[in-house]
Amino acid sequence: MPVQQLFHKFVADRRLDEVIEPLKKSSDIFDIIRPTENQHSKLLAWLFNPREGHGQGDAILKDFLNAAFIASEEHVLANKQFFDAWPPSRIARAGFHSICLLPEFCLDSGKRLDLLMVDFDNKILVVVENKHGARYSAEQLEGYYSEVATTLRQRPVFNKFRTVHIAVDRNYRRRQDENAPASPLNRWAYVDYRWLERGARRAELQLKRGNQLASLVTAYCHAQTDYEPPELRMANDVLAELARDYSALVDAFASARKSMLGDLTPTDLTNDVWVYAHHHRAMVDRLIDMEGLAFLEPGLRRSLPNVPVRTDYGKQYVDLHPLGWQMLEQQEGARPLVAKVWNAECAADGSDQFGLALYYRPDECAPAHSAKLRTELERVFPELKKGRQDAYYRTLGHVKSVSEEHIAAKLRHLLEAGNRAVLAAIG
């Protein structure tokens, strides 16, 4: 069907009513603005400050330190010493209400740490480097580490302090598709923003109790994680259907979104595709992002006809929940085991690449199946026997940088392996 004819059919599709309204900008400030890296550091300092009015106390700081603990399994030097002294059990019972927060802390060389936290009661230094989309270099982190050691840690006032170095990268899950970071990155706990999900859930409960400032916490946490509100998750599923049904038109939208205003010709405006793509930018951008993943579901249903799967689409990722796994859930909405596929960075030749893994959250598993599930998962995924045994989530069967040609087969293999473990666990 010609693109123009497909476009007319698309704009008349009743399913558009289900996606246009949920995608309109809401009252959440982070739907409208995009903070700079420095502003992110200041927002993190606000969230970590237990004396601010967000109502979280020191809970978000504790979430952050726990996430760093999970990421520090093979770490050396200062981080190892810190977490030997500060495991999650101690973090949970400690209070950090005396902590001092110093965004953009200037070192003697003139270089600036994104955030430095000093707690004189607990005798800890927390060094935070925040890259919101950009990449770290080994030289940069080595330089910060060495200068903190000479500028701060050797001073008499910090003689008995423990120091932890944490690098925050919003795209760390995608960076995992690359080779494991070498020294000096093993001296830094390398985390993304998923630890904010707990803060978001707490803030939602506080909103119900009337703490309106908690809405800012919720907005920021949601903006930095893969969280999607229920109405947007339903819209995403409809968008995925539209991306499949109008694949050729989505390609035309993608081309239109790349066309600069100054490069337009009269011919570009005759079919209204460019205008429509800019009138409904949020929807069109999501269609373009999802087109690369929407092809998975039909192929999966054909290759695994006896394993019905529910899919939840987000921006640049899709979660897959085999319906038989619902018996593992401790409560409605819990996800003790879920398969995730995401758009990874493009290969050197520009072709699309994907990552996939099973995410195992033992705390969300029903107690009746918890022990058996872990035993069976260890049998299928031996890597579970290694690493942090008390981590609140583990990544299993992680496959890196898979091409579109091979992703369906890799995903089928991953789901089959997970399904074997689940069926054995539930009997």
Side-chain angles (χ1 to χ4, degrees), residues 44 47-50 54 56-71 82-83 86-99 101 117 119 122 124 126 164 166 191 194-199 202 392:
L44 286 175
L47 289 172
F48 293 150
N49 191 339
H54 46 60
Q56 298 266 341
D58 59 0
I60 294 181
L61 176 57
K62 289 181 177 182
D63 294 338
F64 183 61
L65 293 175
N66 282 328
F69 172 84
I70 294 169
F82 182 93
F83 286 116
W86 285 91
S89 57
R90 185 179 179 186
I91 293 170
R93 69 175 186 268
F96 297 96
H97 293 271
S98 62
I99 200 161
L101 299 104
M117 294 183 270
D119 190 326
N122 290 309
I124 62 172
V126 182
V164 61
I166 307 174
V191 301
R194 277 177 289 181
W195 49 272
L196 280 170
E197 292 174 354
R198 290 186 171 184
R202 288 191 298 266
Y392 58 84

Side-chain angles (χ1 to χ4, degrees), residues 300 304 356 358 380-381 397 399 407-420:
L300 192 63
L304 291 173
L356 68 156
L358 282 178
V380 179
F381 301 100
V399 184
I407 187 67
K410 296 288 187 181
L411 178 58
R412 182 177 68 251
H413 177 76
L414 186 69
L415 286 173
E416 287 175 338
N419 207 44
R420 287 197 302 272

Side-chain angles (χ1 to χ4, degrees), residues 164-375:
V164 61
H165 302 73
I166 307 174
V168 188
D169 180 359
R170 190 178 194 279
N171 294 323
Y172 178 53
R173 180 170 49 103
R174 296 173 65 185
R175 306 279 193 237
Q176 287 176 309
D177 290 341
E178 304 170 1
N179 293 330
S183 178
L185 299 190
N186 62 1
R187 303 177 192 177
W188 291 76
Y190 211 178
V191 301
D192 59 14
Y193 280 85
R194 277 177 289 181
W195 49 272
L196 280 170
E197 292 174 354
R198 290 186 171 184
R201 287 195 291 268
R202 288 191 298 266
E204 287 172 346
L205 294 173
Q206 290 168 353
L207 275 172
K208 294 177 181 178
R209 296 198 298 267
N211 180 2
Q212 293 306 309
L213 194 55
S215 63
L216 182 59
V217 179
T218 305
Y220 185 74
C221 294
H222 288 175
Q224 308 314 316
T225 65
D226 285 336
Y227 175 86
E228 302 275 13
E231 64 274 12
L232 197 51
R233 284 199 295 270
M234 294 192 316
N236 282 338
D237 288 340
V238 176
L239 280 167
E241 295 175 5
L242 292 169
R244 290 194 301 267
D245 296 347
Y246 296 95
S247 177
L249 179 61
V250 175
D251 291 339
F253 282 147
S255 178
R257 291 289 286 116
K258 293 177 182 178
S259 299
M260 304 299 291
L261 182 64
D263 297 330
L264 291 179
T265 67
T267 305
D268 292 324
L269 300 180
T270 56
N271 58 15
D272 288 332
V273 169
W274 190 92
V275 174
Y276 188 92
H278 286 75
H279 277 179
H280 300 281
R281 293 180 62 170
M283 181 189 70
V284 168
D285 286 350
R286 281 184 177 256
L287 278 173
I288 294 168
D289 287 335
M290 288 180 176
E291 186 190 19
L293 290 167
F295 72 91
L296 286 171
E297 192 173 353
L300 192 63
R301 287 174 177 168
R302 288 193 299 270
S303 61
L304 291 173
N306 298 321
V307 184
V309 175
R310 182 169 67 82
T311 53
D312 292 331
Y313 286 88
K315 191 172 183 180
Q316 298 191 347
Y317 76 93
V318 59
D319 286 345
L320 300 106
H321 311 269
L323 299 187
W325 297 6
Q326 291 178 338
M327 292 182 64
L328 299 172
E329 297 173 4
Q330 185 175 21
Q331 59 188 11
E332 185 178 356
R335 293 289 181 267
L337 195 66
V338 61
K340 185 182 287 285
V341 182
W342 58 90
N343 283 323
E345 296 184 355
C346 292
D349 61 2
S351 60
D352 290 337
Q353 297 286 294
F354 304 90
L356 68 156
L358 282 178
Y359 283 81
Y360 168 50
R361 300 179 178 88
D363 291 347
E364 298 189 16
C365 185
H369 303 300
S370 180
K372 183 65 173 175
L373 176 64
R374 187 176 190 95
T375 298

